[in-house]
């Protein structure tokens, strides 16, 4: 599958997620390859490990303020850390799971792992060139990082 | 006089946000009886909660939803299970239905889609 196709699969998943779950459209910026530098992470990051026909990872990273507003839009009243971690992991899981429509049944996804803090780094192999898709929602900035082999 | 059956709903999902959302969003005449975080917990809770209706995630730790569907149906063939999962490929849906689930709702979903899917399950 070409990089363009990979990007379009995830773009569709992102746009569908925001318009369905929080009923407010997201805007995706121009995707880029993170060459010679590791992708920057935000406050909370949910990561899904991919195995099977493909291997790699899909990670969604977002600021705390954005996740809080998303929870509110979902009628959730408890903004505890557990729910923020839960949401960021669930979003990464949904983007990855939806991608199976195009990548197929052998695109195996793990349960999410969640990290807190901007100083963390994704576990990418040396020389990896992950795709970064910037995601704007309301006035918040988040991003999706996709690395598939 | 024969009374109308009130369905007893159990929600199975490893996400607390999703468990609470399904509990909150369903506006049908069903009684929410409990929620489990994985397949193993769902099997344990099934024995005491005796649900008649279940929403089931697939990707979960300890025991995934596909295995849990099969084991719940083995115990109670009449149990109505709606799979609620992000796994969007057709083969996954077919596999869940073959194990005994009666419906499949893809995440993300709106409240309306959830209620329509549950209503379809109840009416069937």
């Amino acid at each position: 599958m070409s990089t363009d196709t990979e990007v379009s699969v995830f773009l569709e998943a992102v746009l569908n997620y925001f318009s369905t779950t929080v009923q407010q459209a997201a805007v995706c910026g121009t995707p880029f390859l993170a060459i010679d530098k590791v992708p920057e992470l935000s406050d909370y990051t949910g990561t899904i490990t991919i195995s099977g026909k493909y291997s790699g990872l899909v990670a969604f990273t977002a600021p705390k303020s954005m996740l809080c507003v998303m929870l509110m839009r979902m009628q959730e009243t408890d903004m505890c850390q557990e729910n923020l971690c839960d949401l960021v992991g669930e979003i990464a899981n949904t983007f990855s799971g939806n991608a199976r429509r195009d990548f197929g049944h052998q695109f195996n996804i793990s349960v999410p792992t969640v990290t807190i803090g901007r100083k963390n780094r994704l576990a990418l192999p040396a020389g990896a060139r992950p795709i970064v898709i910037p995601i704007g929602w309301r006035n918040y900035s988040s991003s999706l990082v996709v690395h598939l082999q | 006089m024969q009374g109308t059956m009130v369905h007893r709903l159990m929600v199975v999902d490893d996400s607390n946000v999703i468990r609470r959302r399904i509990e909150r969003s369903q506006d049908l005449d069903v009684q929410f009886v409990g929620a489990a975080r994985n397949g193993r917990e769902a099997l344990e809770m099934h024995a005491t909660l005796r649900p008649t209706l279940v929403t089931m995630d697939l990707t979960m730790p300890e025991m995934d939803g596909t295995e849990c569907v099969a084991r719940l149906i083995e115990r109670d063939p009449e149990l109505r299970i709606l799979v609620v999962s992000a796994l969007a490929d057709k083969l996954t849906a077919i596999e869940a239905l073959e194990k005994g689930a009666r419906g499949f709702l893809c995440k993300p979903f709106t409240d309306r889609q959830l209620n329509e899917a549950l209503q379809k399950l109840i009416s069937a």
Side-chain angles (χ1 to χ4, degrees):
Chain A
M1 193 174 276
S2 70
T3 304
D4 281 357
T5 314
E6 279 180 20
V7 167
S8 67
V9 166
F10 285 100
L11 282 177
E12 189 185 334
V14 169
L15 296 176
N16 182 44
Y17 183 88
F18 282 88
S19 61
T20 304
T21 305
V22 288
Q23 290 97 45
Q24 279 182 332
V27 177
C28 291
T30 306
F32 60 90
L33 289 173
I35 302 170
D36 298 331
K37 66 170 193 173
V38 289
E40 286 178 15
L41 299 185
S42 191
D43 300 333
Y44 290 82
T45 302
T47 304
I48 302 292
T49 303
I50 307 298
S51 60
K53 191 175 168 186
Y54 297 83
S55 66
L57 62 80
V58 174
F60 174 69
T61 185
K64 181 179 180 180
S65 50
M66 175 176 169
L67 296 170
C68 284
V69 176
M70 290 181 77
L71 283 175
M72 277 190 255
R73 296 280 304 171
M74 296 163 75
Q75 316 298 324
E76 178 57 67
T77 52
D78 188 351
M79 308 299 156
C80 64
Q81 181 134 296
E82 188 188 350
N83 279 347
L84 296 170
C85 292
D86 187 311
L87 179 61
V88 82
E90 181 64 17
I91 294 172
N93 172 66
T94 305
F95 292 163
S96 311
N98 287 183
R100 273 172 56 134
R101 190 177 288 126
D102 297 275
F103 288 101
H105 195 61
Q106 296 302 313
F107 187 80
N108 297 327
I109 70 173
S110 70
V111 292
T113 54
V114 175
T115 55
I116 304 169
R118 293 174 180 246
K119 289 182 179 170
N120 290 301
R121 290 286 174 264
L122 293 174
L124 291 162
R129 297 164 43 143
I131 302 163
V132 180
I133 303 174
I135 303 167
W137 181 70
R138 294 166 68 116
N139 57 339
Y140 303 107
S141 298
S142 59
S143 57
L144 182 66
V145 181
V146 179
H147 171 66
L148 295 177
Q149 289 178 321
Chain B
M1 199 171 81
Q2 193 177 358
T4 311
M5 178 186 177
V6 174
H7 278 281
R8 297 164 57 79
L9 172 67
M10 178 170 78
V11 178
V12 187
D13 201 300
D14 61 343
S15 162
N16 182 48
V17 170
I18 296 292
R19 290 194 301 272
R20 284 168 60 101
R21 186 172 164 220
I22 292 175
E23 180 189 350
R24 216 172 26 241
S25 303
Q26 68 84 15
D27 59 6
L28 305 170
D29 190 18
V30 301
Q31 181 192 359
F32 173 77
V33 293
R37 293 173 297 181
N38 56 55
R40 184 189 53 74
E41 228 177 64
L43 289 176
E44 285 169 10
M45 292 172 77
H46 173 261
T48 49
L49 298 177
R50 310 305 303 172
T52 57
L53 198 61
V54 171
T55 68
M56 176 74 67
D57 188 15
L58 291 181
T59 310
M60 293 183 291
E62 298 194 44
M63 183 191 292
D64 69 23
T66 310
E67 184 182 347
C68 188
V69 167
R71 291 179 65 171
L72 285 174
I73 291 298
E74 210 174 86
R75 285 184 189 180
D76 179 5
E78 297 305 310
L79 187 61
R80 298 169 192 221
I81 302 177
L82 174 69
V83 171
V84 182
S85 170
L87 302 180
D89 61 297
K90 280 183 187 167
L91 211 56
T92 298
I94 291 168
E95 197 175 68
L97 295 172
E98 281 176 350
K99 298 281 183 194
R102 299 200 193 180
F104 193 99
L105 176 65
C106 194
K107 292 177 182 175
F109 56 84
T110 62
D111 291 356
R112 186 177 170 180
Q113 287 167 335
L114 173 70
N115 280 295
E116 282 175 358
L118 285 172
Q119 183 59 60
K120 207 170 158 186
L121 221 67
I122 293 168
S123 311

